[in-house]
Amino acid sequence: MQFIIFLLPLLAIFLMMRSQKKRQAQMQSMQTALQPGSGVRTIGGMYALVKAVNDETVELEVAPGVVAHYTKGAIAAVLEPLEYDAIINGRPAEDESDEAVEALDADADEKPLSLSKDEAKVEAKVDAEAPESK
């Protein structure tokens, strides 16, 4: 019984160290994948383009013509070009683009919403004159 009490904390420590090493390895591989022109997200949630990669720092273009220096550890994720473009420019991803076009076409057929009281009275009068269907 005492052996189990001693063994469980050791097992927990081993599992925590193992998962931490995995995360460090993933972070290291991501940091080596940084290349100029890549889109990234920082740990603060800012999206930027990589302009240059130095030994310990990365130069990020946070706005057109605005370059800031960050440590490599501040990079949370390297994004795919399509994903970065969709986030920055508000463009839907390729698989969503067909659905978005269909939704826009369906919305174009609907009458625009108006908050005018005069138009509301006219619409109510037209609706009252229309025959009811069952």
Side-chain angles (χ1 to χ4, degrees):
M1 185 66 178
Q2 292 177 356
F3 181 71
I4 293 175
I5 294 172
F6 180 71
L7 187 62
L8 286 177
L10 290 177
L11 182 64
I13 290 171
F14 172 75
L15 291 175
M16 286 189 295
M17 289 175 56
R18 186 171 154 220
S19 65
Q20 183 179 6
K21 284 185 180 184
K22 273 187 174 180
R23 267 188 259 121
Q24 286 177 343
Q26 285 177 332
M27 190 65 106
Q28 184 69 29
S29 66
M30 182 201 52
Q31 288 176 358
T32 57
L34 287 175
Q35 297 177 358
S38 299
V40 296
R41 183 181 70 240
T42 66
I43 57 174
M46 182 179 61
Y47 294 92
L49 277 176
V50 176
K51 284 298 179 184
V53 179
N54 303 320
D55 291 336
E56 295 181 17
T57 62
V58 179
E59 295 177 17
L60 301 179
E61 184 177 36
V62 295
V66 179
V67 178
H69 296 267
Y70 286 84
T71 63
K72 285 185 177 180
I75 306 301
V78 177
L79 306 173
E80 296 293 325
L82 290 175
E83 181 182 6
Y84 179 78
D85 188 51
I87 291 169
I88 296 300
N89 298 318
R91 296 181 183 145
E94 286 181 350
D95 56 345
E96 298 172 1
S97 63
D98 294 336
E99 295 171 9
V101 169
E102 290 173 7
L104 287 175
D105 289 342
D107 289 345
D109 295 339
E110 294 179 6
K111 195 172 192 178
L113 178 64
S114 173
L115 299 177
S116 171
K117 291 181 181 179
D118 295 333
E119 288 182 22
K121 288 179 184 177
V122 170
E123 287 180 11
K125 187 176 183 181
V126 169
D127 288 341
E129 293 174 357
E132 291 184 26
S133 60
K134 292 185 181 182

